[in-house]
Amino acid sequence: MKSSRRLGLVMIAPAAIMIVLFFLLPVILTAVFSMTNMSTATGISGGVYQIAPNSLIILKSAMPDIAAELAEPRYAIDEAGLKAVEGLGLAHGIAAELRAKHAGEVFPTRREAERMIKDLAERPSTRDVKQISEQFNRSAVNTRFDSKEELFSALDTLGLNLTLEQKEAVAEATYTGWTWTTDNFSRIATSPDMARVLLNTALYVALVLTLFNVGYALLLAIWTHYMPPAPASIFRGIWLLPRITPVVIYVMLWKWLAWDTGFISVLMGKFGYPPKNYLLDTAYNAWFFVVLINGFIGASMGMLVFSSAMKAIPKSQFYASEVDGASRWQQIRYIILPQMRWPILFVTCYQTLSLLASFNETLLATNGGPGNATEVWALAAYHTALRNYAGNLEYGLGAAMALVLVVIGVTLSLLYLRVFNYRTLVAKPLIED
Amino acid sequence: MAERSQPSANYSSWPVVSALTIVSLPLLLMYVYLFLDTVTVKQPDALLPSGFTVNHWRFLWQTTAGKANIWQVTVNTLLFSACTTSLVLLVSSMAGYVLSRLNVPARGFFLAGVMVLHAFPSVTLIIAIFIVLQMIGLYNSLIGVILVKAAIDLPLGIWLMKGFYDTVPWEIEMAGVVDGASRFRVWKSLVLPQVKPGIMALGLFSFLSGWGEFILPQVLAPGNDVQVLSVYLAGFLADDNNYDFNMFKAVGLFYLVPVLIAYALFNKYLMNIYGGGSKG
């Protein structure tokens, strides 16, 4: 008993470690990332506080006065400015007087600062006033602060008297790193784009599943069933080609067929039609090809499952039916199809999950286009998080979208485990030493 | 064989053969032209080739500027699929045995877990792993992609090997244990040889799936030094002004030939897996 258990643990350890590290952990991390607003804009490590133009826009809607104040330059008579004035080579008394009388003062506008400078004992000329005031021009905009405290003290020295709450609001709006949020999920729930993608996905899964993974696969299996073995195995071989062909080549072949320099264009050119990109021409065409491209791959699995199930039907049933004068259609209707119930259910269940998760072919063929016509959920998640033409990769939102798929996948597969009677798979071992 | 797959001699088979030929034409056309176009010259608006050439295969002996060297890329691809395959075989042949024959705690849970994991969308893994690799600065290395790819193939591998172990008669192990061999020894020298077809099938499947894998290397290792053939080819494909589609097809055929050879030699093993299904 003991030794078998220990051996078992040792032998299963590598699998457990690999699955936990490279499979389970990423899934958990996806859940974590989905609760953040991580993106290329925020970076993936912590951020800084910076009053950038876009944070001012955010502030403007909540606190218009403060946003306006932050955006304006202020005139602060500080040491750095005084040093700069000394370096201008003006009359020596100006800097000394400024330091003595006005150090530490802050003027909200240029005009006020310049009025003060004009009133100095030295009476600088207008040109000099401009030059001097320029040295005290201080703006919080576009300066980086490593911490909240630095940001607040900078705001204080600029004479912006904010309450603690206002400061926190400013800090939140100017933080450039990522923060925890549930916005991703509310965006998924409310955005019309997401609804569109969801609809696309439902349509895609339904079309490919019924037309090809089940329908056409059943047709292939029945056709090859009624064939001599040699052609039957040739045709099964042909229909397995899409599955074994690396996806990049497979899609390349379709593009060769459907592009504006492709086979269909050349063929139609012979009949006087101008060449065009049949793949991305219209949304309908794109859908047609997306369904075909994915369907041709999906048909093979169903074909194999159904073929082997048909082989298991006792020959005597066919012979008996023929003696009774059954037509081929009657054989299919009354002998084959009723016995295909479980294989069909299995293929449907299994392929629903596969189709929900698959996006390689669509990515390579149409990349979701034209427009967003063929954007399916998994592809949209990929686009949002890793390949976005707008340039801002929204890791958090993408992770949230991926998480939706995980939830659907887990729910469905637990359901399937029930349907296919999981208990029978876990019989107890016979030897215990 | 003939009797088993043909239910009756009463019906003629030519209607179904011709029907199937018609629906198979697009596929046949694509694959035949894939080969033809790589060795022939064709006018842009012609359907049939007008001459023979090996010019499209020039990528074998000269490297296009800005692109990776084809042999380097091929070696990377080979390395990637071979490492993935060995890892999957080793790990899942052990884990499959445990789940089929040994009594470990939480066995049922592990089995169900493996089944559920198989349903996980790979896009989840890619996004999270991409962010993690960025965080720790290990982006663009082949080892990372190999581990991830192997982990993705593991659930299927474990499940499949468990199925094969289940068919091995208990008597073999009983005999070994009675003769005083340890369970590990029994597994290694008595049971493992019994599941050779399974190992063959899984090995081939894993190799082919690694050979064709596109999205993982594309996202996690796109650099020229670690590029694999699928990413190399997708680079052409994304380029909409395809200046030389025929050379591009030659690269494709070059990439496809090992797959076709493996398939031709071992398709009876592979059927086991494709029947049981893989993602996609």
Side-chain angles (χ1 to χ4, degrees):
Chain A
M1 179 76 202
K2 274 262 165 61
S3 74
S4 141
R5 177 171 285 210
R6 203 172 60 225
L7 177 67
L9 288 177
V10 169
M11 282 176 73
I12 210 165
I17 292 170
M18 276 195 69
I19 285 182
V20 166
L21 272 186
F22 299 104
F23 212 129
L24 220 50
L25 202 65
V27 174
I28 294 168
L29 283 175
T30 308
V32 173
F33 294 144
S34 73
M35 303 299 283
T36 70
N37 63 355
M38 235 183 243
S39 70
T40 18
T42 68
I44 48 180
S45 44
V48 295
Y49 295 87
Q50 184 173 18
I51 305 175
N54 64 332
S55 45
L56 286 174
I57 293 170
I58 299 171
L59 277 176
K60 203 167 269 173
S61 58
M63 310 183 293
D65 301 343
I66 292 171
E69 267 191 81
L70 280 173
E72 287 300 316
R74 322 270 297 185
Y75 291 81
I77 313 300
D78 55 14
E79 196 50 38
L82 289 167
K83 284 252 161 59
V85 172
E86 280 167 9
L88 282 177
L90 302 168
H92 190 69
I94 298 179
E97 193 184 353
L98 271 175
R99 176 169 294 156
K101 288 191 184 158
H102 301 285
E105 284 177 28
V106 178
F107 299 89
T109 64
R110 185 179 200 120
R111 185 203 296 232
E112 283 171 55
E114 287 183 350
R115 186 178 300 146
M116 178 275 288
I117 297 169
K118 263 187 204 142
D119 289 343
L120 289 175
E122 290 276 349
R123 304 244 164 220
S125 69
T126 313
R127 201 179 125 264
D128 289 345
V129 169
K130 286 249 179 303
Q131 230 179 335
I132 294 167
S133 69
E134 195 48 49
Q135 307 310 316
F136 298 105
N137 184 342
R138 297 285 174 273
S139 170
V141 177
N142 288 335
T143 316
R144 296 161 64 94
F145 303 100
D146 287 332
S147 70
K148 255 186 213 180
E149 286 66 39
E150 279 182 43
L151 171 73
F152 292 158
S153 71
L155 293 180
D156 283 339
T157 53
L158 288 181
L160 286 159
N161 295 315
L162 306 180
T163 66
L164 207 60
E165 279 159 46
Q166 287 169 325
K167 278 182 180 171
E168 286 299 329
V170 170
E172 196 182 320
T174 57
Y175 187 58
T176 61
W178 55 269
T179 50
W180 300 104
T181 173
T182 51
D183 279 358
N184 296 325
F185 294 102
S186 47
R187 257 178 87 183
I188 289 176
T190 54
S191 153
D193 286 345
M194 296 284 178
R196 173 70 204 271
V197 171
L198 192 68
L199 200 72
N200 279 349
T201 313
L203 190 67
Y204 163 76
V205 173
L207 280 179
V208 178
L209 191 69
T210 51
L211 293 182
F212 282 93
N213 291 4
V214 175
Y216 187 59
L218 204 57
L219 198 66
L220 277 177
I222 292 173
W223 272 345
T224 51
H225 187 66
Y226 280 103
M227 253 181 216
S233 66
I234 290 174
F235 279 118
R236 284 193 197 125
I238 291 174
W239 282 94
L240 265 166
L241 276 177
R243 184 168 287 271
I244 60 161
T245 307
V247 56
V248 183
I249 306 177
Y250 175 68
V251 173
M252 174 188 89
L253 291 178
W254 280 94
K255 286 199 163 177
W256 166 79
L257 198 73
W259 264 359
D260 44 6
T261 53
F263 187 79
I264 298 179
S265 281
V266 173
L267 189 68
M268 296 304 275
K270 301 282 175 220
F271 301 101
Y273 292 95
K276 61 174 183 175
N277 190 336
Y278 286 86
L279 186 62
L280 290 171
D281 186 26
T282 63
Y284 289 110
N285 277 1
W287 268 100
F288 178 74
F289 278 106
V290 163
V291 171
L292 279 190
I293 290 172
N294 287 288
F296 274 35
I297 297 181
S300 59
M301 177 198 161
M303 175 185 76
L304 290 177
V305 172
F306 299 146
S307 291
S308 59
M310 279 177 209
K311 270 188 193 157
I313 299 174
K315 288 284 149 307
S316 52
Q317 294 187 9
F318 289 103
Y319 296 141
S321 70
E322 273 162 41
V323 170
D324 292 345
S327 71
R328 192 179 275 175
W329 168 243
Q330 283 171 325
Q331 281 191 346
I332 295 171
R333 174 73 187 79
Y334 296 106
I335 299 177
I336 296 181
L337 287 184
Q339 308 201 36
M340 288 292 114
R341 190 183 299 151
W342 279 97
I344 288 177
L345 186 63
F346 170 74
V347 170
T348 308
C349 291
Y350 194 92
Q351 296 282 41
T352 314
L353 284 177
S354 304
L355 284 172
L356 273 175
S358 75
F359 66 101
N360 278 343
E361 293 80 10
T362 317
L363 167 72
L364 285 165
T366 67
N367 199 15
N372 275 338
T374 53
E375 186 97 340
V376 291
W377 197 268
L379 182 62
Y382 170 80
H383 275 151
T384 311
L386 298 173
R387 186 63 68 85
N388 190 338
Y389 287 117
N392 187 21
L393 305 177
E394 295 178 272
Y395 305 125
L397 184 60
M401 294 180 73
L403 201 66
V404 172
L405 278 185
V406 172
V407 172
I408 296 176
V410 171
T411 317
L412 285 182
S413 51
L414 288 177
L415 205 73
Y416 299 160
L417 279 176
R418 272 192 89 87
V419 172
F420 290 103
N421 205 359
Y422 173 65
R423 294 268 159 249
T424 58
L425 297 171
V426 224
K428 277 262 169 199
L430 289 182
I431 304 184
E432 282 315 329
D433 48 275
Chain B
M1 183 71 199
E3 256 182 18
R4 262 186 32 219
S5 58
Q6 204 178 9
S8 165
N10 281 354
Y11 304 125
S12 58
S13 58
W14 69 264
V16 284
V17 172
S18 45
L20 201 41
T21 310
I22 291 169
V23 293
S24 306
L25 266 182
L27 267 183
L28 284 172
L29 203 71
M30 286 194 260
Y31 283 86
V32 168
Y33 267 94
L34 172 65
F35 172 72
L36 269 185
D37 282 352
T38 61
V39 290
T40 57
V41 191
K42 205 169 62 176
Q43 297 310 311
D45 58 343
L47 288 177
L48 292 173
S50 54
F52 175 84
T53 177
V54 290
N55 190 33
H56 305 315
W57 291 86
R58 66 181 179 276
F59 66 89
L60 290 179
W61 54 87
Q62 66 187 46
T63 304
T64 321
K67 294 265 179 200
N69 178 290
I70 185 82
W71 296 107
Q72 173 70 47
V73 176
T74 311
V75 168
N76 285 344
T77 316
L78 203 61
L79 210 64
F80 173 68
S81 9
C83 290
T84 314
T85 308
S86 340
L87 203 58
V88 168
L89 276 185
L90 187 74
V91 174
S92 52
S93 63
M94 290 199 294
Y97 182 66
V98 175
L99 292 181
S100 169
R101 292 295 164 92
L102 298 175
N103 197 23
V104 285
R107 179 164 161 270
F109 181 75
F110 203 98
L111 264 177
V114 162
M115 187 75 175
V116 172
L117 277 184
H118 187 47
F120 271 44
S122 54
V123 69
T124 321
L125 302 170
I126 299 171
I127 294 175
I129 289 170
F130 175 78
I131 301 175
V132 172
L133 288 185
Q134 288 275 347
M135 273 178 179
I136 59 179
L138 271 181
Y139 181 62
N140 242 341
S141 79
L142 215 47
I143 295 176
V145 198
I146 289 171
L147 288 172
V148 175
K149 175 69 181 161
I152 289 181
D153 278 357
L154 263 186
L156 176 75
I158 294 174
W159 199 249
L160 195 89
M161 288 313 294
K162 183 210 175 271
F164 276 98
Y165 283 121
D166 283 347
T167 63
V168 177
W170 274 103
E171 286 72 24
I172 293 178
E173 281 172 276
M174 304 272 189
V177 171
V178 168
D179 287 352
S182 70
R183 283 302 284 273
F184 183 73
R185 181 81 199 282
V186 167
W187 169 69
K188 218 184 92 193
S189 12
L190 293 179
V191 183
L192 216 48
Q194 301 289 320
V195 293
K196 235 183 204 152
I199 292 178
M200 283 291 286
L202 181 60
L204 262 168
F205 168 79
S206 211
F207 190 84
L208 290 187
S209 116
W211 187 258
E213 177 65 38
F214 161 65
I215 199 75
L216 282 176
Q218 161 87 0
V219 173
L220 303 178
N224 267 359
D225 298 340
V226 288
Q227 206 164 51
V228 294
L229 276 166
S230 56
V231 179
Y232 178 81
L233 207 57
F236 280 105
L237 202 61
D239 196 6
D240 267 350
N241 37 12
N242 40 89
Y243 59 100
D244 191 349
F245 209 91
N246 287 343
M247 179 169 111
F248 173 30
K249 276 187 146 180
V251 180
L253 189 59
F254 173 77
Y255 179 26
L256 183 61
V257 162
V259 176
L260 291 181
I261 293 175
Y263 176 52
L265 291 179
F266 305 106
N267 71 52
K268 67 170 195 249
Y269 295 111
L270 267 183
M271 293 292 178
N272 283 329
I273 299 221
Y274 288 129
S278 66
K279 255 180 214 175

